[in-house]
């Protein structure tokens, strides 16, 4: 399972049902290419915005049965058109991803957790919903749990990447969380470590873990091998949080990452995930826990 480049997308691995691998790969390449347009290379912000607008135009063209431009046809839109035709993928979810990448071009700070989660609803949650659509899972509870997992993965990626995002001028920690601990954006931009900064990272990690555990029972709603792939995705996110905790929340100084030595812990965590039949979803309570 490779999530090196586009962190919130489990690429079509051997655990993914064979017949769905081309579809998952097509959607992945769509998301990865859009992400690259917004974030890679030396293009100006104006050029990136123009490229994303052209990218959206090609998406709408293939969704409407028209030919895309030549620029991304072979790598992205020809295979994507086949998936759109076969599976009737919700085009608004694909467009949401483009909207999130456009937002990255001009928005560098977030007022509070609600505003950051709103960003996640476009940058991360569509990925999970697209995969559920391919798996034929559309129950409202499953969609809510998918959103929780994907938002958590996005947040975990932010807390993992403090040491990278600061020099790039990005502050994903909500301003309200910073202010509550006497911090400000400059502390993160300069990757200034302190007790207050570590307390901030701990609070943010706790938030992300709560979301992950809220969504984790989705693994029991996904059939077969795909459900096991999702178990590993969930455990991977939790493992990164554990690594941040093990470094005493000093992720402004160091970036934790998963490696081969983490595989046994991920597999053991995936095997230990169990339903708790005593809990129900009445009055908004969780049906299952880990």
């Amino acid at each position: 399972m490779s999530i090196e480049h586009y962190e919130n997308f489990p690429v079509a691995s051997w655990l993914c049902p064979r017949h769905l691998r081309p579809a998952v790969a097509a959607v992945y390449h769509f998301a990865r290419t859009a992400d690259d347009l917004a974030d890679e290379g030396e293009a100006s912000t104006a050029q990136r915005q123009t490229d994303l607008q052209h990218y959206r135009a090609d998406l709408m063209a293939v969704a409407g049965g028209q030919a895309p431009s030549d620029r991304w046809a072979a790598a992205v839109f020809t295979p994507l058109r086949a998936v759109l035709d076969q599976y009737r993928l919700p085009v608004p979810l694909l467009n949401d991803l483009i909207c999130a990448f456009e937002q990255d071009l001009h928005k560098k700070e977030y007022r509070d957790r609600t505003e950051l989660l709103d960003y996640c609803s476009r940058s991360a949650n569509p990925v999970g919903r697209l995969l559920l659509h391919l798996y034929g899972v559309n129950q409202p509870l499953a969609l809510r749990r998918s959103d929780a997992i994907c938002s958590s993965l996005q947040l975990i990626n932010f807390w993992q990447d403090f040491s990278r995002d600061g020099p790039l001028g990005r502050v994903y920690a909500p301003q309200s969380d910073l202010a509550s601990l006497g911090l400000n954006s400059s502390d993160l931009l300069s990757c200034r470590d302190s007790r207050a900064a570590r307390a901030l990272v701990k609070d943010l990690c706790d938030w992300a873990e709560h979301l992950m555990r809220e969504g984790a029972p989705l693994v029991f709603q996904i059939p077969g091998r795909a459900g096991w792939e999702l178990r590993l995705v969930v455990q991977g996110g939790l493992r990164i949080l554990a690594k941040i905790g093990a470094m005493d929340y000093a992720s402004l100084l160091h970036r934790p990452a998963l490696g081969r030595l983490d595989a046994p812990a991920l597999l053991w965590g995936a095997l230990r995930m169990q339903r708790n039949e005593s809990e129900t979803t009445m009055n908004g309570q969780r049906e299952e826990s880990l």
Side-chain angles (χ1 to χ4, degrees):
M1 179 170 54
S2 172
I3 51 175
E4 262 316 296
H5 186 90
Y6 192 71
E7 293 83 354
N8 299 304
F9 209 116
V11 183
S13 71
W14 64 271
L15 283 175
C16 179
R18 183 179 298 274
H19 72 283
L20 288 179
R21 291 178 196 176
V24 174
V27 180
Y28 167 78
H29 286 298
F30 169 85
R32 172 173 177 166
T33 301
D35 192 7
D36 285 347
L37 290 174
D39 205 41
E40 297 294 328
E42 303 297 329
S44 66
T45 298
Q47 183 60 55
R48 294 181 192 279
Q49 183 69 58
T50 299
D51 287 342
L52 288 171
Q53 289 172 353
H54 291 163
Y55 199 72
R56 176 183 287 108
D58 277 356
L59 170 63
M60 296 308 173
V62 298
Q66 305 298 314
S69 69
D70 292 336
R71 182 173 178 183
W72 303 286
V76 176
F77 288 108
T78 297
L80 182 65
R81 175 155 55 182
V83 175
L84 288 171
D85 291 343
Q86 182 176 358
Y87 294 99
R88 297 292 185 264
L89 284 182
V91 176
L93 293 177
L94 297 167
N95 186 56
D96 280 346
L97 292 171
I98 299 176
C99 290
F101 298 135
E102 289 176 325
Q103 183 171 327
D104 284 334
L105 296 179
H106 60 82
K107 189 169 181 62
K108 306 300 183 183
E109 295 182 354
Y110 289 84
R111 181 178 61 253
D112 52 29
R113 294 186 178 189
T114 298
E115 189 174 57
L116 189 57
L117 286 178
D118 177 70
Y119 169 75
C120 293
S121 73
R122 291 181 295 279
S123 69
N125 298 1
V127 172
R129 290 188 173 230
L130 286 164
L131 291 177
L132 289 187
H133 182 89
L134 291 174
Y135 297 145
V137 177
N138 56 16
Q139 300 94 328
L141 179 58
L143 295 176
R144 292 196 299 273
R145 286 172 170 168
S146 174
D147 289 347
I149 290 173
C150 290
S151 289
S152 176
L153 288 171
Q154 178 74 88
L155 295 176
I156 291 168
N157 179 237
F158 291 153
W159 316 152
Q160 177 187 20
D161 276 355
F162 275 131
S163 62
R164 289 184 176 182
D165 288 335
L168 294 174
R170 298 169 179 168
V171 177
Y172 288 109
Q175 295 296 306
S176 57
D177 286 77
L178 288 166
S180 70
L181 290 165
L183 300 168
N184 55 50
S185 294
S186 65
D187 293 302
L188 298 193
L189 292 173
S190 60
C191 296
R192 189 177 302 125
D193 187 39
S194 66
R195 289 185 179 180
R198 296 194 185 198
L200 170 74
V201 176
K202 182 182 186 305
D203 286 348
L204 295 175
C205 287
D206 289 346
W207 174 32
E209 181 176 355
H210 174 78
L211 275 175
M212 183 65 80
R213 296 194 181 279
E214 183 179 292
L218 178 63
V219 303
F220 304 112
Q221 295 179 260
I222 306 298
R225 289 161 59 175
W228 283 96
E229 180 174 33
L230 182 58
R231 288 179 185 228
L232 290 173
V233 171
V234 168
Q235 293 301 318
L238 294 175
R239 183 71 174 169
I240 288 292
L241 291 176
K243 283 176 171 281
I244 294 174
M247 63 170 61
D248 196 22
Y249 303 98
S251 58
L252 269 73
L253 301 178
H254 309 288
R255 183 184 187 273
L258 296 179
R260 292 183 179 180
L261 294 179
D262 294 296
L266 297 180
L267 291 171
W268 179 241
L271 288 169
R272 292 182 66 241
M273 295 176 74
Q274 297 180 358
R275 285 186 176 91
N276 185 338
E277 302 292 350
S278 66
E279 295 185 9
T280 70
T281 56
M282 297 295 290
N283 299 320
Q285 293 178 331
R286 290 167 55 193
E287 179 183 359
E288 297 139 353
S289 64
L290 302 180

